[in-house]
Amino acid sequence: MDMKKINWFPGHMVKTRREITANLKLVDAVIEIRDARIVASSQNPEIDKIVGDKPRIILLNKADMAEDQVTRRWKKSLENENTLVLEVNALTGKGLNAIKPTLNELLKDKIARNKERGIVNYTIRAMVVGIPNVGKSSFINRMAKNAIAKVGNRPGVTKNKQWIKTKEGIELLDTPGILWPKFEEETSLNLAFTGAIKDEIMDTETLALRLIERLSHHYKERLIERYALEEFSEDPLENMDNIARKRGCIIKGGEIDYMRVAVMILDEFRSAKLGKISLEWPEVSDD
């Protein structure tokens, strides 16, 4: 599976990039959502360039599915005077109560100037950005406390720009998820492992095999424990075969049902049944 040349940049994503650029002047801040398990891979470099020095909150979504220590290191490496980082779960709402005070902190100078001009109840406007399937709709629904934004488990469900009012005195500008023209193999794999890229454009069986290979380096014991493996091989295909046998993924004649075991392994990783897993680490000390 050669993923180095994946080029997936539909027309609606080109349009989204233009919309984000054009609408940036309408908002006070940007709320960027990333996947805490793949913080670097779920960062869209296009967004980074477009947003520039605009005040930004980075939400590390699904933080309860990533290793706490690794997520803390990411937070330390990403924060600066214009950017603050929060660990959240957009689906359950965990951590989202910190959004308003964090925006107040980022925009304190602007809010102070508004007070001097007699504007007390200032409504903060924030643009929500992120790659497809990273949790934007779940975040907006939680903030709005009703299902305004359409939620789906398929990449690219949210299509059209819309403003959403929240009870916290924040207005959110929703934007469709945007990927970028080309990604390197490791980024492509990480996006595919977590479901940010449609499974249909990947070879599911090979993808699961590569996930086993990746987890073997840092989470070998998790695989052994989850699938009750009596032995663990250096060969990921052998481990995949053993997992299939343990879970009864066998077809007529005793052959391995590779599609069935592949789908199961990917589903169990994506639903955190393998425990808290981080697939990327920042280059920062742990003090």
Side-chain angles (χ1 to χ4, degrees), residues 24-192:
L24 201 59
K25 61 182 178 292
L26 302 177
V27 300
D28 303 297
V30 171
I31 297 175
E32 179 190 359
I33 304 180
R34 301 193 199 176
D35 188 318
R37 299 166 296 178
I38 54 164
V39 177
S41 292
S42 58
Q43 173 199 20
N44 186 336
E46 295 282 331
I47 296 296
D48 224 26
K49 286 184 275 187
I50 293 167
V51 170
D53 292 333
K54 197 85 171 180
R56 182 179 356 182
I57 296 177
I58 296 175
L59 301 183
L60 299 183
N61 191 30
K62 303 178 183 176
D64 50 345
M65 299 170 74
E67 283 199 67
D68 297 338
Q69 185 178 8
V70 178
T71 304
R72 283 194 297 270
R73 289 172 61 188
W74 276 114
K75 178 177 166 69
K76 179 180 176 182
S77 72
L78 293 170
E79 287 193 331
N80 57 51
E81 60 181 9
N82 292 314
T83 304
L84 294 175
V85 178
L86 297 175
E87 301 171 31
V88 305
N89 185 314
L91 202 57
T92 65
K94 185 177 181 182
L96 297 187
N97 59 347
I99 296 282
K100 181 65 182 289
T102 304
L103 282 171
N104 286 341
E105 173 63 25
L106 279 171
L107 300 169
K108 59 186 177 185
D109 291 342
K110 183 170 190 174
I111 292 169
R113 287 196 300 272
N114 282 333
K115 281 185 179 177
E116 287 173 8
R117 292 161 52 201
I119 304 171
V120 180
N121 296 317
Y122 179 72
T123 299
I124 295 172
R125 301 186 111 190
M127 180 187 292
V128 184
V129 300
I131 65 170
N133 221 32
V134 80
K136 286 196 301 95
S137 294
S138 297
F139 164 68
I140 288 170
N141 289 344
R142 272 281 167 180
M143 291 295 289
K145 295 188 172 58
N146 58 52
I148 292 173
K150 184 179 177 184
V151 178
N153 59 4
R154 309 297 297 158
V157 165
T158 312
K159 299 290 186 201
N160 300 313
K161 179 187 74 177
Q162 54 180 321
W163 285 97
I164 293 96
K165 292 184 178 180
T166 72
K167 294 177 181 177
E168 287 81 12
I170 305 167
E171 286 189 5
L172 302 174
L173 175 59
D174 188 20
T175 58
I178 176 174
L179 283 172
W180 51 106
K182 295 179 182 178
F183 359 98
E184 294 304 312
E185 181 175 12
E186 185 175 350
T187 299
S188 302
L189 282 169
N190 286 336
L191 292 170

Side-chain angles (χ1 to χ4, degrees), residues 214-256:
R214 180 78 68 83
L215 296 179
S216 296
H217 295 303
H218 299 285
Y219 299 101
K220 172 180 166 182
E221 297 304 319
R222 301 275 187 90
L223 291 171
I224 292 170
E225 182 181 354
R226 177 70 187 171
Y227 300 111
L229 301 177
E230 280 133 30
E231 54 184 44
F232 199 85
S233 172
E234 293 293 317
D235 180 3
L237 182 57
E238 199 171 314
N239 291 324
M240 192 171 182
D241 288 351
N242 288 334
I243 291 170
R245 293 188 188 99
K246 282 288 185 180
R247 289 297 182 91
C249 298
I250 307 295
I251 53 179
K252 192 175 178 181
E255 296 292 318
I256 302 293

Side-chain angles (χ1 to χ4, degrees), residues 8-19:
W8 194 61
F9 206 54
H12 77 267
M13 291 190 175
V14 176
K15 182 184 175 187
T16 298
R17 184 171 57 182
R18 291 197 195 108
E19 281 183 5

